[in-house]
Amino acid sequence: MTSTVPALGTRTAEGSALQAVLLDMDGTLVDTEGFWWDVETEVFASLGHTLDDSWRHVVVGGPMTRSAGFLIEATGADITLAELSVLLNDGFEERIGRDLPLMPGAARLLAELSAHDVPTALVSASHRRIIDRVLKSLGPEHFALTVAGDEVPRTKPHPDPYLAAAAGLGADPARCAVVEDTATGVAAAEAAGCHVVAVPSVAPITPAARRTVVTSLEEVDLTLLRGLMTQMR
């Protein structure tokens, strides 16, 4: 877990204000969910296996240990989880080195949060080496804290990454707004007690209590995120 600037408090006397915004990375801020699947497909092809496209919904949004483990078991590939993780991270890092498109609305949202001094964290299931590469495009100055999937005891769908981010920012999880694109990430944020805005990327996500679903990150702004705090637990 890496902190880049001191955390800023925004708690009010009533305890009802937005205290922090916690943002997922792949598929939420950067258009890379398809990159992961492409790399997985290429790596397994080199091992002599063809991935079933229906598996994409199984592996999206989860930690590499889960997605890679599933693909090894599903294909019967003769490779260890550690070996496969290296190949996937290498392939992904090479891919984003060629092209790293931001999701529509990402740059505008990050600029708005920074302009209003809203404590913001990047919370990803990706490994630290990947996050640090992506940060060069997103702008590290926009984040007070970054949490990588290989830096917490349990990553998404467990609440640990979002609890760590909230604690690192000195925020109450119940006063944090999370923006996620997958059911796995939404589950992690909700288990941590956060309010969630879901922007589905690969698979649909249904609205629920403390969960707002929108069709694009362009619909997400500070007014919407602050408004989430009026919702009851």
Side-chain angles (χ1 to χ4, degrees), residues 1-10 18-25 28-29 106-124 135 138-147 161-162 164-171 175-179 217 220-222 225-226:
M1 184 167 64
T2 299
S3 179
T4 55
V5 298
L8 303 172
T10 60
L18 174 69
Q19 292 180 1
V21 174
L22 315 178
L23 301 169
D24 175 53
M25 188 176 77
T28 299
L29 293 178
R108 186 266 314 153
L109 176 61
L110 290 175
E112 182 180 15
L113 295 174
S114 292
H116 289 84
D117 294 324
V118 178
T120 303
L122 185 66
V123 185
S124 177
L135 275 172
L138 288 175
E141 69 276 7
H142 294 302
F143 303 97
L145 186 72
T146 61
V147 179
Y162 283 112
L169 294 176
R175 297 303 171 195
C176 292
V178 170
V179 184
L217 194 63
V220 182
D221 58 16
L222 188 52
L225 297 175
R226 283 174 170 163

Side-chain angles (χ1 to χ4, degrees), residues 188-221:
E190 291 181 342
C194 304
H195 295 267
V196 179
V197 176
V199 191
S201 60
V202 176
I205 299 173
T206 58
R210 296 173 64 87
R211 181 194 310 166
T212 300
V213 180
V214 298
T215 59
S216 168
L217 194 63
E218 292 184 300
E219 299 175 48
V220 182
D221 58 16

Side-chain angles (χ1 to χ4, degrees), residues 23-36 92 96 99-107 110 122 124 126 130-131 133-139 143 179 181 199 201-202 217:
L23 301 169
D24 175 53
M25 188 176 77
D26 292 302
T28 299
L29 293 178
V30 289
D31 192 7
T32 51
E33 288 292 9
F35 285 12
W36 279 113
F92 186 78
I96 63 176
D99 182 34
L100 184 58
L102 270 60
M103 297 296 288
L110 290 175
L122 185 66
S124 177
S126 290
I130 300 299
I131 287 181
R133 284 292 300 272
V134 174
L135 275 172
K136 295 177 182 179
S137 295
L138 288 175
F143 303 97
V179 184
D181 73 304
V199 191
S201 60
V202 176
L217 194 63

Side-chain angles (χ1 to χ4, degrees), residues 5-17:
V5 298
L8 303 172
T10 60
R11 189 188 303 268
T12 65
E14 295 79 14
S16 60

Side-chain angles (χ1 to χ4, degrees), residues 3 20 49 64 91 189 208:
S3 179
H49 298 276
M64 184 170 291

Side-chain angles (χ1 to χ4, degrees), residues 8-84:
L8 303 172
T10 60
R11 189 188 303 268
T12 65
E14 295 79 14
S16 60
L18 174 69
Q19 292 180 1
V21 174
L22 315 178
L23 301 169
D24 175 53
M25 188 176 77
D26 292 302
T28 299
L29 293 178
V30 289
D31 192 7
T32 51
E33 288 292 9
F35 285 12
W36 279 113
W37 181 249
D38 290 344
V39 170
E40 288 160 347
T41 299
E42 291 169 4
V43 168
F44 275 90
S46 72
L47 298 172
H49 298 276
T50 301
L51 300 187
D52 190 314
D53 195 59
S54 65
W55 297 343
R56 182 174 180 176
H57 297 298
V58 179
V59 301
V60 67
M64 184 170 291
T65 51
R66 188 194 74 183
S67 57
F70 169 83
L71 293 174
I72 290 173
E73 182 176 355
T75 61
D78 184 18
I79 189 171
T80 68
L81 182 59
E83 291 169 337
L84 180 57

